[in-house]
Amino acid sequence: MAKPAILTVDDDPAVSRAVARDLRKQYAEEYRIIRADSGQEALDALKELKLRGEQVAVLLADYRMPNMTGLQFLEHAMDLFPRARRVLLTAYADTDAAIQAINIVDLDHYLLKPWHPPEEKLYPVMDAMLEAWKAAPDRPVADVKVVGHRWSAPSFKVRDFLARNMVSYRWYTTDDAEGQRLLAAAGLTEADVPLVVTPEGKTMVAPSEAELAVQVGLTTTPASDFYDLVVVGGGPAGLGAAVYGASEGLRTVLLEERATGGQAGQSSRIENYLGFPDGVSGAQLTDRARRQAVKFGAELLTACKVTRLAVQGSARVLHFEDGTTIAAHSVILATGVSYRRLHAPGLEQFHGRGVYYGSAATEAPSCSDQDVYIVGGANSAGQAAMFFSRYARRVHLVIRAPDLDASMSRYLIEQIAAVPTIEVHPCTEVVGADGDEHLERLTLRSMTTGEERTVESSWLFIFIGAEPRTDWLDGVVQRDERGFVLTGPDIAASTEHVALGRDPYHLESSVPGVFAAGDVRADSVKRVASAVGEGAMAVSLVHRYLVEGQ
């Protein structure tokens, strides 16, 4: 973090240099001295400091400057750095005006020119100003900063992307004073959000995920155009494959469209994963796996949307949305599944404004002392119910089945039963949503009686079913009627394998050298441990394919 700044502005170059010289002589060890020759130049410098999240301790401004007086400058500067101490440099004839300015800009002190000797006239004043500032300084912010509307789907999308990629950020609404200051520093208005400011001070307005990934330091482009193994998807199966592939000497690259971790990465606590008796959050497990893969030399690329798989001789070529390609000897498909959309009047219009698919942990603190509704009866929904119960006044778990026994692990059922603020609504479905700027009401219907009722809530989290993201494989890889990738003995007659004189390997798809692991594979066990195991097993089959199967 850069040193706090002391900024001095005077339109007389000789005076400006003299002030800066005397300040540097005394304070350069602890503070950065910034000199400006006009009010506008000084304001531009302050805006840059604000966007970079740096601190300003003291502002010294000459009273008489053309175009923008010292008082006008200090008024504008207060909007950016309200805690900075303010000092006015005046000539003897301007002392009355300086005294009056104390009430206008909450002036801390005024200094008469000339201030020599500085040991008697300048430094004692500055020491007092710096001591006062240290008692209540501006807090430096080295994180990414996001300014947006509370109920804005684009703002939520930005925050969710950063959170899922474990990029530290600060969130400011347009109603926050600091949010207003950042908008002012960037020359923007509330209509321009979401605004993203990097630690270096670069600003982005409503960036795409690819743009955001680049600016926050995530890797988005491969280092090579050919690999031994390309893993598509960064959930548990993909991360497992990347770890084992790289650790066993394969040139491995993992491609992820949004964020590593997949659905498991959004889980607040996974308690049935081997080796973690006290449980582990999906984010923690993802971070450890990601670091482990990188340690072994795997490349992890984010914001890479694959649109097509092609076979070119022994190469397997993946085409990206931006028109670029990457090729490899082998491919492991680990794209996982996405939550199915819940179709009911009003739900789609509130997506990102009260209606969320997955846990959306970024919203949890905002649910404090409110009623939260969760749709779904599997483990992911149960984990979300436990998580939100720490914040919400009451959590309502809405399920179509008569109970949780058929779809949820016993340990979660027992935990939910022990929390008095979680209420399960069996044989119930959400059939409507309503509100103005955001979700405000839900309509629930009993599946046994048909009776409908309206409940007040601004929060609905949906965890229903699973849809494989495999449309881009259409016509290339065999899939079942729901889109899951067929592997091994489930594959219909494959001319490619017949030509090789062998049957498909257990996790191999209808295209030799292309394997599937985890939730995307037909009839797989939808659990984190099994996904990781299949990722590792797929790598062993890749080795077999590379040695004897081509």
Side-chain angles (χ1 to χ4, degrees):
M1 181 61 65
K3 298 175 184 177
I6 297 173
L7 184 144
T8 174
V9 53
D10 196 305
D11 67 306
D12 185 329
V15 175
S16 179
R17 286 193 296 269
V19 175
R21 179 199 62 219
D22 288 343
L23 291 175
R24 287 194 182 98
K25 180 180 177 182
Q26 185 73 5
Y27 303 107
E29 188 173 331
E30 294 184 48
Y31 297 90
R32 187 153 57 106
I33 312 303
I34 299 175
R35 181 172 69 87
D37 294 330
S38 70
Q40 188 57 56
E41 182 183 332
L43 276 181
D44 291 342
L46 288 181
K47 289 177 181 179
E48 187 175 334
L49 293 171
K50 168 58 71 174
L51 293 175
R52 293 206 301 257
E54 296 186 24
Q55 302 168 289
V56 176
V58 180
L59 301 165
L60 293 93
D62 182 51
Y63 175 65
R64 290 184 180 272
M65 291 190 296
N67 301 320
M68 183 186 297
T69 68
L71 291 181
Q72 291 170 329
F73 163 73
L74 291 174
E75 277 190 281
H76 290 302
M78 284 174 61
D79 294 334
L80 296 171
F81 290 95
R83 294 183 182 275
R85 314 311 290 188
R86 292 172 286 278
V87 179
L88 200 63
L89 291 171
T90 68
Y92 182 78
D94 298 322
T95 53
D96 289 342
I99 293 171
Q100 293 173 4
I102 292 175
N103 295 323
I104 298 175
V105 296
D106 194 21
L107 196 66
D108 294 297
H109 206 281
Y110 70 90
L111 274 171
L112 288 175
K113 297 189 292 185
W115 57 88
H116 295 289
E119 291 78 9
E120 295 180 12
K121 297 183 179 180
L122 176 62
Y123 298 154
V125 172
M126 286 298 299
D127 289 344
M129 294 298 100
L130 292 171
E131 285 301 317
W133 177 80
K134 287 178 180 178
D138 287 311
R139 299 298 179 190
V141 180
D143 298 332
V144 172
K145 296 175 279 292
V146 181
V147 183
H149 291 300
R150 175 66 195 86
W151 298 108
S152 160
S155 297
F156 164 73
K157 189 176 180 180
V158 166
R159 290 187 293 133
D160 187 55
F161 179 82
L162 293 173
R164 292 184 61 185
N165 281 286
M166 299 181 188
V167 177
S168 180
Y169 73 94
R170 298 285 185 94
W171 161 245
Y172 305 96
T173 69
T174 53
D175 297 328
D176 294 334
E178 186 64 9
Q180 292 284 351
R181 294 183 194 114
L182 288 168
L183 287 174
L188 303 173
T189 68
E190 293 183 15
D192 298 314
V193 297
L195 165 67
V196 178
V197 185
T198 69
E200 296 75 31
K202 181 177 177 58
T203 60
M204 294 176 284
V205 178
S208 68
E209 290 183 347
E211 293 169 334
L212 191 55
V214 170
Q215 294 302 326
V216 300
L218 300 175
T219 305
T220 60
T221 56
S224 176
D225 56 5
F226 198 91
Y227 292 83
D228 294 321
L229 170 63
V230 173
V231 181
V232 186
L239 287 168
V243 167
Y244 281 91
S247 67
E248 294 177 14
L250 296 177
R251 290 172 299 162
T252 303
V253 61
L254 181 148
L255 313 175
E256 171 55 43
E257 183 176 340
R258 283 208 78 220
T260 51
Q263 287 187 13
Q266 295 180 278
S267 296
S268 56
R269 184 148 297 271
I270 302 169
E271 297 193 59
N272 58 352
Y273 189 74
L274 185 68
F276 292 90
D278 299 320
V280 61
S281 73
Q284 290 172 324
L285 192 61
T286 296
D287 182 53
R288 293 179 182 188
R290 181 166 48 191
R291 288 189 284 114
Q292 195 172 16
V294 171
K295 183 188 80 169
F296 285 123
E299 288 182 43
L300 271 59
L301 308 184
T302 307
C304 293
K305 184 174 182 180
V306 182
T307 58
R308 187 162 66 92
L309 170 66
V311 177
Q312 296 181 4
S314 62
R316 306 295 177 255
V317 182
L318 294 158
H319 293 253
F320 296 126
E321 190 175 39
D322 63 1
T324 59
T325 61
I326 190 172
H329 290 302
S330 60
V331 174
I332 294 177
L333 303 173
T335 52
V337 294
S338 57
Y339 292 114
R340 285 194 291 109
R341 283 287 201 260
L342 179 60
H343 299 291
L347 284 182
E348 196 59 34
Q349 74 183 81
F350 295 119
H351 185 208
R353 296 187 294 134
V355 175
Y356 306 93
Y357 289 87
S359 62
T362 55
E363 305 304 295
S366 300
C367 299
S368 179
D369 297 325
Q370 300 181 51
D371 278 26
V372 168
Y373 282 77
I374 296 174
V375 177
N379 278 12
S380 54
Q383 290 161 350
M386 293 297 298
F387 174 67
F388 283 106
S389 69
R390 306 204 304 258
Y391 299 88
R393 175 176 56 207
R394 195 161 193 81
V395 176
H396 302 266
L397 192 56
V398 179
I399 60 173
R400 295 169 59 89
D403 54 48
L404 297 169
D405 291 343
S407 56
M408 190 177 292
S409 296
R410 172 52 52 183
Y411 81 90
L412 264 176
I413 296 175
E414 293 173 352
Q415 287 181 356
I416 287 171
V419 179
T421 56
I422 299 179
E423 181 178 353
V424 180
H425 300 269
C427 302
T428 304
E429 58 183 348
V430 174
V431 294
D434 193 22
D436 294 322
E437 183 184 5
H438 60 89
L439 176 68
E440 296 175 2
R441 292 169 293 279
L442 293 168
T443 301
L444 306 181
R445 180 168 64 199
S446 168
M447 299 176 65
T448 54
T449 66
E451 179 185 357
E452 294 186 359
R453 61 190 178 96
T454 300
V455 295
E456 302 289 326
S457 179
S458 296
W459 307 99
L460 177 66
F461 299 91
I462 301 169
F463 301 81
I464 57 169
E467 293 179 333
R469 295 174 286 181
T470 58
D471 291 345
W472 59 281
L473 296 170
D474 191 30
V476 180
V477 173
Q478 289 184 24
R479 299 174 295 153
D480 67 11
E481 66 280 358
R482 293 182 298 164
F484 291 92
V485 177
L486 296 170
T487 59
D490 295 329
I491 297 172
S494 168
T495 56
E496 292 86 350
H497 286 95
V498 171
L500 291 175
R502 65 172 177 84
D503 293 329
Y505 300 135
H506 177 58
L507 299 180
E508 193 173 24
S509 74
S510 58
V511 176
V514 176
F515 301 81
D519 290 358
V520 75
R521 191 177 68 83
D523 298 325
S524 63
V525 178
K526 303 301 188 280
R527 288 290 184 268
V528 175
S530 62
V532 173
E534 286 194 3
M537 186 190 303
V539 171
S540 70
L541 295 173
V542 165
H543 277 292
R544 185 176 175 185
Y545 166 77
L546 294 176
V547 171
E548 61 185 49
Q550 296 190 60

